Amino acid sequence: MSRALRARGLSLQLGGRPVLNGISSSFEAGTCTAVVGPTGAGKSSLLALLAGDLAPSKGRVRMNGSAPHRMAPADLAGRRAVLAQRNPLNHPFSVDRVVELGFPGAPRALRRLVLAELGIESLAERIYTELSGGEQRLVHFARVLLQCETLAPPGWLFLDEPESHLDLGVVQRAMRAARRRAERGLGVIAAIHDLELASRWADRVLMLSEGAVAADGAPRETLTGGLLSELWRTPIAVDADDGTQGVRIRVLEDASSPRREPPEEDAGSQSSGSTGP
């Protein structure tokens, strides 16, 4: 069985509008790939095609040799786990019960283990609908981590903006958990909005622009000031982050934008502390 996830000539139209155009790329098990790009670049759509949640308009996807969108739901669930941007759930389940949805019948100790990995084991008996948005996001992260225990190797983990609604320290813990799945042999692919996070976490960065691949490679090779300035349409400087493989990104003042000077004070409105004679 192939250990790769491959896209060839991948295009997608939604509502008659082109979203992706001719993307060809391969992903290897045991690695972490960050998919980045400006808003509307097609990041979430690409993940949905790779995960089998959407069918391509043109081209093909092969997950371990099979077309994921043609798999039976049970078979697909045994190949990949997905953390979507939105996870609608309004039933007053306990947190432990929501996590168990990722692996029905999983031992209690294993359920507690994934909760502890994200630092939320104290929430296990809480009611899911009573949690904050960030806490709910972590519960679903734990659910997909538990599902990873059921994936036939080589399995795949898809994360759509995993940093959304999470505090900085919590994000780091969550992304370390995802990297540990790659170290165990899963292929991890995440659409990430935070470019600095992507640079520190990923082995590889796939950058999209207007539905096409704009760059593909190691984080420091891909996340350059010139390319980011062009695609994000604002002056951006990129510096190496000493001690990591990542980068630090600074948005610069746009010299083409008119400077706004502070309004001049009306001399008559100034006060000297005295009303005068």
Side-chain angles (χ1 to χ4, degrees), residues 12 34 47 51 71 84 112 161 167 175 197 207 220 237 239 241 246 264:
L12 178 67
L47 257 65
M71 293 182 191
R112 291 298 189 272
E161 295 199 6
D167 295 335
M175 298 313 288
L197 174 65
M207 187 179 298
R220 288 190 181 179
D239 305 305
D241 184 7
E264 294 184 4

Side-chain angles (χ1 to χ4, degrees), residues 56-77:
S57 302
K58 292 183 180 178
R60 67 178 191 175
V61 178
R62 293 293 181 267
M63 179 186 290
N64 308 340
S66 301
H69 70 280
R70 297 187 185 280
M71 293 182 191
D75 293 336
L76 188 58

Side-chain angles (χ1 to χ4, degrees), residues 11-59:
S11 295
L12 178 67
Q13 287 196 350
L14 294 175
R17 181 178 65 88
V19 177
L20 297 172
N21 183 25
I23 291 181
S24 294
S25 191
S26 296
F27 306 86
E28 299 296 329
T31 64
C32 294
T33 300
V35 180
V36 305
T39 300
K43 302 183 294 294
S44 295
S45 296
L46 178 59
L47 257 65
L49 288 173
L50 295 174
D53 291 329
L54 287 176
S57 302
K58 292 183 180 178

Side-chain angles (χ1 to χ4, degrees), residues 134-184:
E135 289 171 330
Q136 291 182 352
R137 184 71 167 165
L138 284 171
V139 171
H140 285 290
F141 210 121
R143 172 180 56 78
V144 298
L145 291 181
L146 187 64
Q147 186 185 347
C148 288
E149 301 296 322
T150 73
L151 301 184
W156 300 89
L157 173 59
F158 296 93
L159 306 170
D160 195 353
E161 295 199 6
E163 76 274 31
S164 177
H165 303 297
L166 300 183
D167 295 335
L168 291 176
V170 177
V171 169
Q172 301 304 320
R173 186 182 301 125
M175 298 313 288
R176 283 195 296 269
R179 174 159 282 283
R180 281 191 285 271
R181 271 56 188 182
E183 292 168 354
R184 298 175 191 174

Side-chain angles (χ1 to χ4, degrees), residues 182-266:
E183 292 168 354
R184 298 175 191 174
L186 297 185
V188 185
I189 304 171
I192 296 180
H193 178 75
D194 185 330
L195 298 177
E196 290 189 359
L197 174 65
S199 76
R200 293 190 297 270
W201 172 78
D203 303 305
R204 167 195 178 195
V205 170
L206 179 67
M207 187 179 298
L208 301 184
S209 176
E210 297 181 350
V213 175
D216 185 359
R220 288 190 181 179
E221 296 172 357
T222 307
L223 299 171
T224 64
L227 185 56
L228 297 185
S229 297
E230 176 185 351
L231 298 188
W232 272 258
R233 299 179 182 180
T234 192
I236 294 174
V238 176
D239 305 305
D241 184 7
D242 294 338
T244 76
Q245 67 173 4
V247 299
R248 294 191 179 277
I249 294 172
R250 294 177 290 120
V251 177
L252 306 176
E253 182 178 359
D254 189 345
S256 66
S257 299
R259 292 179 58 87
R260 297 185 61 187
E261 300 293 341
E264 294 184 4
E265 286 188 297
D266 184 344

